[in-house]
């Protein structure tokens, strides 16, 4: 049976200007692999807890203490819980609370010459980890944009000279996805 490929649009919610990615993911991926795709597509390092919400059910790494009632993401394939037109949510870092809206834009048969997962498109760099969620990211952007801002130099030192919030290139992300997912 030919492999099905899911075209997902991943958008960070409550972040302006918008940060989003369009990725191709095999439908047979379990949700833990989809988690890794989101992590690498946004540019994060998987340092925090996460969960998916699909049709009112929560999926993630089971909590050994049983405090977070999650279904095991290792047991659930993407193609078993969503289809074309489906919308679901992914939350990363329960302290900073990064919410992502994922939309299945298309489902199609894999190109035999294609390499998956891959990133087709996107906009803007992913926010740095530990910045304080969407509100902290807005403060960072304001400080970086204004050399007269009282925190401009501290924030620039913290993120480094190479961080450009407007920059995004799909090619390097695709290479990383194929190597690590």
């Amino acid at each position: 049976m030919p492999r099905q490929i899911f075209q997902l649009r991943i958008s960070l919610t409550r972040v302006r200007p918008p940060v989003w990615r369009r990725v191709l993911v095999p439908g047979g991926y379990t949700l833990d692999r989809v988690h890794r795709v989101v992590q690498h597509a946004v540019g994060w390092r998987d340092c925090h807890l996460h969960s998916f919400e699909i049709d009112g059910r929560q999926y993630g790494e089971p909590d050994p203490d049983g405090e977070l009632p999650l279904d095991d993401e290792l047991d659930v394939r993407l193609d078993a819980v969503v289809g074309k037109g489906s919308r679901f949510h992914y939350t990363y870092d329960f302290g900073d609370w990064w919410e992502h809206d994922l939309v299945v834009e298309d489902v199609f048969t894999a190109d035999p010459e294609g390499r998956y997962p891959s990133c087709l498109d996107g906009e803007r760099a992913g926010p740095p980890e530990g910045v304080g969620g969407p509100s902290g990211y807005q403060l960072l952007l304001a400080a970086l944009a204004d050399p007269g801002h009282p925190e401009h130099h501290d924030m620039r030192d913290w993120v480094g000279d190479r961080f450009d919030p407007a920059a995004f290139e799909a090619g390097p992300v695709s290479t990383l996805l194929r190597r690590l997912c």
Side-chain angles (χ1 to χ4, degrees), residues 4-8 23-35 37-38 52 54-55 59 73-84 86-88 102-104 106-107:
Q4 293 292 298
I5 301 299
F6 282 54
Q7 180 175 303
L8 304 177
V23 297
L24 300 179
V25 179
Y29 267 24
T30 54
L31 293 180
D32 70 303
R33 291 182 82 184
V34 175
H35 155 71
V37 168
V38 174
F52 289 93
I54 303 170
D55 293 330
Y59 302 90
E73 66 188 0
L74 289 169
D75 297 335
V76 182
R77 286 173 43 136
L78 183 65
D79 58 9
V81 290
V82 297
K84 185 176 179 177
S86 294
R87 173 175 258 125
F88 60 109
L102 286 83
V103 176
V104 181
D106 201 1
V107 177

Side-chain angles (χ1 to χ4, degrees), residues 48-68:
H48 304 281
L49 295 173
H50 67 278
S51 69
F52 289 93
E53 182 182 335
I54 303 170
D55 293 330
R57 293 186 73 167
Q58 299 287 324
Y59 302 90
E61 292 182 46
D63 179 7
D65 299 325
E67 292 182 28
L68 292 173

Side-chain angles (χ1 to χ4, degrees), residues 80-150:
V81 290
V82 297
K84 185 176 179 177
S86 294
R87 173 175 258 125
F88 60 109
H89 303 280
Y90 169 84
T91 302
Y92 175 63
D93 186 348
F94 298 153
D96 281 359
W97 204 260
W98 293 107
E99 293 178 302
H100 306 69
D101 187 40
L102 286 83
V103 176
V104 181
E105 294 181 320
D106 201 1
V107 177
F108 54 89
T109 302
D111 177 347
E113 304 298 317
R115 297 181 64 200
Y116 307 102
S118 64
C119 182
L120 300 176
D121 200 5
E123 194 169 359
R124 302 188 59 79
E129 292 206 46
V131 73
S135 61
Y137 188 51
Q138 291 306 125
L139 292 172
L140 172 70
L141 293 177
L144 293 178
D146 178 5
H149 191 284

